[in-house]
Amino acid sequence: MTGAEKKIKVLLAKLGLEVHWRGVITVAGMLRDAGMEVIYVGNAFPEQIVKAAIQEDVDVVGISTLGGNHLTQGGELLDIAARSGIKDSTLFLIGGVFPPYDEPRLREIGFDGIFAPGATRGEIVGFIKEAIATRATT
Amino acid sequence: MSQKKQTKEMLKKTTKEILAQKVEKEGRIPLYNPEALQKIREEMEQWKSTVVREEDRNNWYVTPSTILGSQIPRGMLYTPLDNADLDYLRDLGFSGKEPYTRAIHANLYRGRRFTIRQLAGFGGPEDTNKRIRFLLDHGATGVSIIFDLPTIQEYDSDDPMSKGQVGMCGVAIDCVDDMATLFEEVALDKVTVSLVSHYPTNTAILFPMYLEMASRRGIDWSKLTGSVQNDLILECVVRSAVEYIPPRDCFKIQCDNMEFTRKNVPGWNLVTFNGYNLRENGTSAITEMAVATANAIESLDEMVRRGHDVDWVAERIAFFWSPSNDFFEEAARIRAMRRLWYQIMKHRFDAKNPRALWMRCHVQTSGISLFREEPYNNIVRAAYQGLASVLGGAQSVHIDSYDEAYSVPTEEAALVSLRTQQIIQAETAVTEVVDPLGGSFYVEALTDEIEKRILDEVTEIEEMGGMVSAVEKGWLHKKVAKYAIEEQKSIEEGKITIVGHNYLRASDLELPEINVFRYPEGVEERQQEKLRKLRQKRDSRRVEGCLSQLREACQKGENIVPYCLEAAKADATEGELFQVFKEAFGLWKPPIYW
């Protein structure tokens, strides 16, 4: 089976103590409708997220936060992912509310995709499919 | 029949059935006489067939697609035929008089302008204290405090779970000393303070800390005015969390807070039935109000069951709404809710005290309706939402800031919000006339329809066994999740038009270089250091004693708030109290959302 045919598996989580769930559930609905397998774990901390990602063998990890912890805990997540050896094999996405000046920094710490309010189904689904397809061919 | 007994019998019936039985239908005096209505009907038919284009005639009703809207179809033109059975005195009456459709006060804003209450909260208590004083210096008339993620979720700043989140999204408060810093030099006996302690559990922790802080400053509790939120819907449905206590226990704590506050802090609003966050999370103009109403009914039933006089309890409850983009709907909704609440209090609870019949409300403009593209457009959106609320007769208003799709508002953006309110108050003259939309054929028809739909949804909840049952079953979680997903689709498909986002979007759009808020640095370390010192200096045996008494009170089913107050006096921290709740009540797993 080639990568393009395999059902894409996504782990979604609220980052740390962040409280708003509307965004992540909306994205979960979008990805499911687009034929992906979605595992939503609710609130989770970096270590738990990485552990779940390994256990579930997911292609994508998407985290959501509107609470300002995107750099601190987001950074920790990618550090642990790198140490656990899944950073390169997994697509890491972040969605939520963050100031524009933090976006380059989010990229630097290793997020592959950054989705601010207003991001559409087409953008998110398209991004995941394209990135997975690119990985499959390289 | 005693009030208690009567209420018990009533419980078998839905609120709708009670109102159907008790609201008098006989002797109505229609404002419009049948002859005039008949004439209007005939002329209208004539007009429709000769003047109105066929296309418009065939599409007479249009359902507006707006963010968080009600989906109520609208006709092209409204006439007395849409209010054909209007009885002026019974349905509208005068301001400050039953059924309070027009306003709760006779002179409304002439007597007292709506409170300008802007949210503040970020960093440590010393940082937010500066923002509070900035807002008060620029003419804000109330304070509203939002807490950071660990405080909302009830962990201390030095808890491992709080790492990297202290002072974000709100202000970090761990103990009474932090409360003292937060309100330093703020005249608590003059300014009304809203503590946005969303949940019953953290209200039971934070409000006693506030009270103890006031005591330490020598301020008598009878001089304190303000409100807490204290709403189980926020704790069990709207929030995403790591650890939840069960909804039944949460409801019990909500009622404990109400009871304690009513007995001890006479000027304080003991609960703010919060539609706002539920609607923003994803629900319609109607469900927002229906859920808050169902929760209010269930809470008052419990207060009556505990032996309290409903007139005494209900005069201190408040509501909190989220006005969104459908301008007339937003104004009509507040009017509809005022009339419905009056009917419920009068006929279901037999309330007599006028203050207990009032639906008093705070509004905050809709955050979900703000967009990142061309952020200054958000100023216009929020101003319309604020204006609609004032035309609806809200008591207190917060206007969201244009940069909130980016971060916590900057001081500059917060000032624009404040000024927007002041412009409504001081420049537009809308506050001179009470209920200026009253009597509009359109607004009255809309008010009737909204009232009916809210009551229908309240009935749906009651038939499920009430609000707490609806939460336990996951009915509300699912409804909200479904709505949010559908609304996102509608925006993406362009059914809901958002200027500059999916409609007339600039082809060369670039996100602007706007000045965005930066969190103060070093807050986490500062809070942790304060906690370390506190834990050293306080009498730890006394803290232990207070916590074990609290645990016992939780287990015995006593009102827990006096024990929380004792713990606050002993300088116990928020996380320590929450730990007791978790041990005593156990944890709950919320239903799957979708």
Side-chain angles (χ1 to χ4, degrees):
Chain A
M1 195 160 63
T2 67
E5 286 163 358
K6 195 181 144 230
K7 203 169 190 183
I8 299 171
K9 204 168 172 186
V10 186
L11 181 95
L12 293 178
K14 288 296 304 173
L15 185 60
L17 298 178
E18 218 282 310
V19 289
H20 307 84
W21 59 262
R22 176 181 174 137
V24 72
I25 289 295
T26 306
V27 171
M30 285 177 186
L31 301 185
R32 186 190 51 193
D33 290 352
M36 299 180 199
E37 184 182 344
V38 180
I39 303 157
Y40 175 55
V41 295
N43 284 70
F45 293 86
E47 209 157 308
Q48 296 169 312
I49 296 172
V50 171
K51 211 172 142 194
I54 294 169
Q55 229 162 40
E56 298 285 348
D57 190 23
V58 296
D59 306 297
V60 184
V61 169
I63 61 164
S64 153
T65 181
L66 292 74
N69 57 349
H70 48 278
L71 289 179
T72 52
Q73 290 190 316
E76 199 187 332
L77 172 74
L78 287 161
D79 281 349
I80 298 174
R83 281 207 305 276
S84 312
I86 62 161
K87 186 167 172 315
D88 295 332
S89 57
T90 314
L91 204 56
F92 280 86
L93 314 178
I94 184 166
V97 176
F98 12 77
Y101 57 71
D102 279 346
E103 289 187 15
R105 185 82 194 98
L106 284 169
R107 233 168 266 290
E108 260 171 55
I109 62 178
F111 282 104
D112 302 292
I114 299 163
F115 299 96
T120 61
R121 169 188 312 261
E123 284 162 18
I124 300 171
V125 171
F127 181 90
I128 294 176
K129 285 192 169 163
E130 205 183 307
I132 299 268
T134 311
R135 283 190 184 190
T137 55
T138 52
Chain B
M1 209 188 299
S2 77
Q3 192 183 18
K4 222 173 171 177
K5 196 169 164 214
Q6 200 174 353
T7 308
K8 211 172 169 189
E9 282 188 4
M10 292 278 181
L11 284 180
K12 294 174 203 146
K13 289 185 180 152
T14 62
T15 299
K16 192 187 209 171
E17 284 165 345
I18 295 166
L19 297 189
Q21 187 189 344
K22 287 190 141 192
V23 174
E24 233 178 292
K25 282 178 204 62
E26 303 304 309
R28 287 181 63 89
I29 310 170
L31 183 62
Y32 302 113
N33 74 53
E35 204 182 332
L37 288 173
Q38 186 52 33
K39 186 80 183 146
I40 294 169
R41 196 169 290 118
E42 285 164 20
E43 292 281 331
M44 191 164 179
E45 285 309 313
Q46 174 76 5
W47 166 79
K48 268 191 175 174
S49 56
T50 54
V51 180
V52 176
R53 293 186 311 168
E54 192 185 345
E55 195 192 330
D56 291 324
R57 211 163 42 233
N58 294 340
N59 299 294
W60 185 258
Y61 287 100
V62 167
T63 304
S65 289
T66 56
I67 289 193
L68 306 171
S70 70
Q71 306 285 314
I72 293 176
R74 313 295 158 84
M76 192 176 83
L77 185 81
Y78 284 79
T79 69
L81 295 173
D82 294 292
N83 319 134
D85 62 348
L86 177 76
D87 176 329
Y88 180 80
L89 289 174
R90 280 205 198 171
D91 301 335
L92 303 178
F94 302 103
S95 46
K97 205 165 177 321
E98 303 87 346
Y100 301 105
T101 314
R102 311 214 57 188
I104 60 169
H105 301 297
N107 58 2
L108 194 60
Y109 301 130
R110 284 194 187 186
R112 185 180 171 177
R113 289 179 161 185
F114 56 87
T115 306
I116 297 182
R117 192 189 292 289
Q118 290 295 122
L119 267 181
F122 56 86
E126 53 284 338
D127 302 306
T128 297
N129 177 264
K130 277 186 213 140
R131 176 65 70 88
I132 295 172
R133 283 151 69 175
F134 170 82
L135 290 168
L136 290 172
D137 283 348
H138 288 78
T141 49
V143 174
S144 195
I145 303 297
I146 181 108
F147 300 100
D148 73 347
L149 295 174
T151 309
I152 289 177
Q153 304 275 27
E154 302 162 86
Y155 303 103
D156 289 336
S157 297
D158 58 358
D159 190 298
M161 284 215 234
S162 305
K163 203 176 141 201
Q165 302 162 97
V166 176
M168 286 174 174
C169 215
V171 57
I173 299 292
D174 294 309
C175 58
V176 177
D177 285 350
D178 288 339
M179 276 290 180
T181 309
L182 180 63
F183 290 104
E184 212 171 285
E185 289 184 44
V186 178
L188 298 180
D189 45 355
K190 295 191 179 69
V191 174
T192 70
V193 174
S194 156
L195 294 174
V196 188
S197 56
H198 300 92
Y199 319 132
T201 49
N202 66 14
T203 300
I205 299 170
L206 295 168
F207 189 49
M209 286 183 182
Y210 181 85
L211 293 174
E212 173 57 13
M213 173 272 296
S215 296
R216 289 183 191 178
R217 274 175 61 176
I219 302 168
D220 197 281
W221 292 359
S222 65
K223 297 219 166 60
L224 300 174
T225 54
S227 55
V228 283
Q229 285 200 339
N230 186 31
D231 187 325
L232 108 133
I233 301 298
L234 290 187
E235 180 151 352
C236 301
V237 182
V238 176
R239 150 168 98 150
S240 176
V242 181
E243 296 169 301
Y244 301 80
I245 66 159
R248 286 278 157 209
D249 300 304
C250 188
F251 178 71
K252 191 245 167 206
I253 297 175
Q254 176 179 305
C255 295
D256 285 356
N257 286 323
M258 291 172 68
E259 191 174 37
F260 175 87
T261 307
R262 191 68 197 101
K263 280 183 185 161
N264 296 288
V265 198
W268 205 269
N269 294 323
L270 34 96
V271 62
T272 306
F273 292 108
N274 180 322
Y276 184 91
N277 295 66
L278 181 71
R279 187 178 188 195
E280 290 282 303
N281 200 18
T283 203
S284 77
I286 304 297
T287 307
E288 174 192 17
M289 287 180 158
V291 169
T293 303
N295 189 6
I297 290 173
E298 207 156 317
S299 303
L300 288 179
D301 275 342
E302 169 62 13
M303 286 296 135
V304 171
R305 197 196 60 78
R306 291 188 187 193
H308 301 302
D309 175 6
V310 81
D311 277 322
W312 177 73
V313 178
E315 70 173 352
R316 275 285 163 214
I317 67 176
F319 292 86
F320 176 27
W321 309 124
S322 147
S324 193
N325 287 345
D326 186 337
F327 188 83
F328 289 103
E329 172 166 296
E330 292 308 332
R333 247 163 36 102
I334 298 177
R335 304 175 79 245
M337 188 60 213
R338 229 174 3 246
R339 183 164 66 202
L340 177 62
W341 187 243
Y342 157 76
Q343 306 279 13
I344 292 171
M345 289 310 297
K346 182 172 180 205
H347 299 299
R348 193 186 190 287
F349 289 102
D350 283 317
K352 309 268 183 305
N353 172 3
R355 292 184 63 93
L357 304 169
W358 295 347
M359 191 290 290
R360 297 179 301 138
C361 66
H362 171 64
V363 298
Q364 175 175 341
T365 60
S366 165
I368 203 83
S369 72
L370 305 180
F371 282 79
R372 274 161 65 98
E373 299 88 355
E374 303 173 15
Y376 297 117
N377 296 348
N378 292 329
I379 299 175
V380 182
R381 292 186 179 109
Y384 281 128
Q385 294 168 3
L387 179 62
S389 314
V390 171
L391 296 182
Q395 274 55 63
S396 157
V397 181
H398 165 101
I399 289 199
D400 278 350
S401 296
Y402 62 83
D403 55 355
E404 289 186 51
Y406 290 95
S407 185
V408 166
T410 57
E411 196 165 273
E412 181 191 25
L415 186 60
V416 174
S417 295
L418 187 65
R419 295 306 192 206
T420 305
Q421 301 214 43
Q422 291 162 343
I423 289 167
I424 294 174
Q425 278 189 343
E427 297 186 16
T428 65
V430 297
T431 56
E432 297 303 338
V433 175
V434 179
D435 189 29
L437 300 178
S440 147
F441 309 124
Y442 172 40
V443 173
E444 294 304 351
L446 203 49
T447 303
D448 291 350
E449 183 61 25
I450 290 168
E451 183 186 7
K452 187 180 151 295
R453 290 188 183 211
I454 296 170
L455 187 55
D456 284 346
E457 285 204 22
V458 169
T459 310
E460 192 183 346
I461 295 165
E462 288 179 331
E463 284 171 349
M464 247 180 291
M467 195 62 249
V468 179
S469 297
V471 169
E472 286 171 332
K473 286 177 186 148
W475 171 81
L476 192 52
H477 293 82
K478 286 182 192 130
K479 190 175 169 92
V480 170
K482 187 164 171 268
Y483 189 98
I485 292 170
E486 287 303 315
E487 185 164 271
Q488 176 65 20
K489 271 188 199 157
S490 299
I491 293 175
E492 291 189 12
E493 287 163 5
K495 282 188 201 149
I496 296 178
T497 44
I498 311 288
V499 174
H501 174 70
N502 65 4
Y503 180 70
L504 301 175
R505 189 181 173 100
S507 56
D508 56 347
L509 184 81
E510 271 182 37
L511 291 181
E513 294 278 321
I514 69 167
N515 180 17
V516 173
F517 180 80
R518 282 174 196 271
Y519 285 106
E521 288 182 6
V523 179
E524 192 158 326
E525 293 72 22
R526 263 186 284 146
Q527 284 303 108
Q528 288 175 352
E529 181 56 18
K530 279 190 267 181
L531 275 172
R532 199 182 57 79
K533 284 188 182 152
L534 179 85
R535 293 193 212 276
Q536 261 174 9
K537 80 167 189 198
R538 67 183 185 176
D539 178 348
S540 53
R541 213 183 294 163
R542 185 177 165 203
V543 175
E544 281 308 312
C546 289
L547 295 176
S548 77
Q549 282 178 341
L550 173 63
R551 191 173 297 114
E552 212 172 294
C554 290
Q555 282 154 351
K556 279 188 185 159
E558 282 180 63
N559 188 319
I560 63 164
V561 187
Y563 299 93
C564 295
L565 179 68
E566 287 308 310
K569 283 185 187 167
D571 292 308
T573 62
E574 188 187 23
E576 291 166 342
L577 272 78
F578 186 48
Q579 184 60 33
V580 172
F581 294 163
K582 286 184 286 184
E583 287 164 15
F585 299 116
L587 294 180
W588 175 65
K589 207 172 157 18
I592 298 162
Y593 299 128
W594 49 285

